[in-house]
Amino acid sequence: MYLISIISGFFGILIGSFLNVVICRVPRGESIVSPGSYCYTCGHSLRAWELIPIVSFLIQKGQCSNCEARISWRYPAVEALTGILFFLTTLLSFDSGMHPARILLNLSFVATLVALSFIDLDTFRLPDVLTLPLLGIGLIGAFLIPGNPSGWESVLSALGAGGVFWIIARVYPQGMGLGDVKLVAAMGAFLGFPAIFISIFVGSFVGAVVGIFLLRTGKKSLGQQIPFGPYLALGAILTLLWGIQIFEWYWAWI
């Protein structure tokens, strides 16, 4: 179990490297397949050794080997984060006796959430090219793969949570975008009921705390936009990993 989880973690690091490409290129409307990876400052095409996740960043001391432009710390951070999340998802899923195909489904969910979070932080957008396929994969997987949620539970959770957020977006469009609606629907498809509402509660709570902190420290002003996608994604991942524990803690607390 631990060996498989460790292997999954290393695989997650590789996926994280690909997610960096997705995060950079999807908002620009560029292909994620070609051209190959390159320095966004000088256009230098990266060689094989420069593509090794995390390690190449350390070897190059965070600089392009050609023009010496600074490479953002976020590249190795995304790779490390994805690796850790893949390790935890695999380990905890095996502990619960989850079907292997369901574990793969959840890993795709986690990877997409990571990409969407960083894209939203950069652009305040959650692209349809990621949210809609995520919704579709969640619904199809629920019907085809044994486990929770079941197919119709997935559909109802997606419609219920997505419908509530759609109403909010219609009433308060300045604070809620349609990208958030589609993301919540996809979360409902993967998590089911009541996990989807636990994830929304956790994400909203963390988002509110961070928002208050940013306002109090003067880093954001009242009325200034704050991306909600990363907090929804955080709530979804925490619920995916520890949803039962969160639910039991909540009921014990109230």
Side-chain angles (χ1 to χ4, degrees):
M1 181 196 314
Y2 284 102
L3 178 59
I4 295 175
S5 300
I6 292 171
I7 293 172
S8 177
F10 279 108
F11 179 65
I13 293 174
L14 296 176
I15 294 296
S17 181
F18 171 70
L19 294 182
N20 278 320
V21 176
V22 174
I23 293 165
C24 289
R25 296 191 184 186
V26 166
R28 303 180 184 190
E30 298 177 359
S31 169
I32 60 174
V33 177
S34 64
S37 296
Y38 60 90
C39 172
Y40 285 99
T41 301
C42 67
H44 164 66
S45 295
L46 303 187
R47 291 160 289 192
W49 69 270
E50 295 173 300
L51 295 171
I52 303 174
I54 301 176
V55 176
S56 60
F57 180 86
L58 299 175
I59 292 174
Q60 297 176 88
K61 299 179 180 179
Q63 294 180 325
C64 172
S65 62
N66 184 62
C67 69
E68 297 187 351
R70 295 296 302 175
I71 300 173
S72 173
W73 61 267
R74 201 170 72 178
Y75 289 99
V78 169
E79 292 160 356
L81 174 64
T82 310
I84 292 169
L85 291 177
F86 269 47
F87 170 79
L88 289 174
T89 302
T90 304
L91 180 64
L92 296 176
S93 297
F94 270 114
D95 278 345
S96 65
M98 187 176 292
H99 192 284
R102 177 73 65 165
I103 297 175
L104 292 175
L105 185 71
N106 287 340
L107 291 176
S108 70
F109 181 45
V110 168
T112 309
L113 289 176
V114 171
L116 285 168
S117 296
F118 283 94
I119 290 174
D120 199 17
L121 284 171
D122 284 342
T123 67
F124 297 96
R125 290 179 57 248
L126 294 167
D128 286 351
V129 71
L130 294 178
T131 55
L132 294 180
L134 185 66
L135 172 60
I137 290 170
L139 293 173
I140 293 171
F143 277 101
L144 298 181
I145 302 172
N148 291 316
S150 62
W152 287 112
E153 181 186 349
S154 175
V155 171
L156 293 175
S157 298
L159 288 174
V164 170
F165 269 63
W166 180 82
I167 293 172
I168 296 172
R170 296 285 291 182
V171 174
Y172 183 49
Q174 297 86 356
M176 184 74 62
L178 290 178
D180 296 312
V181 175
K182 296 164 192 172
L183 174 57
V184 167
M187 288 164 50
F190 275 89
L191 298 174
F193 179 85
I196 177 57
F197 293 107
I198 297 174
S199 69
I200 292 172
F201 172 78
V202 171
S204 299
F205 177 78
V206 174
V209 171
V210 172
I212 293 171
F213 172 78
L214 293 175
L215 289 173
R216 293 294 298 270
T217 56
K219 295 182 179 180
K220 289 285 185 180
S221 59
L222 196 63
Q224 194 172 0
Q225 191 174 12
I226 297 176
F228 193 31
Y231 304 108
L232 288 172
L234 175 62
I237 291 173
L238 291 177
T239 302
L240 181 70
L241 298 178
W242 296 290
I244 295 176
Q245 292 89 331
I246 294 173
F247 189 73
E248 290 176 347
W249 171 83
Y250 174 76
W251 280 110
W253 182 70
I254 63 173

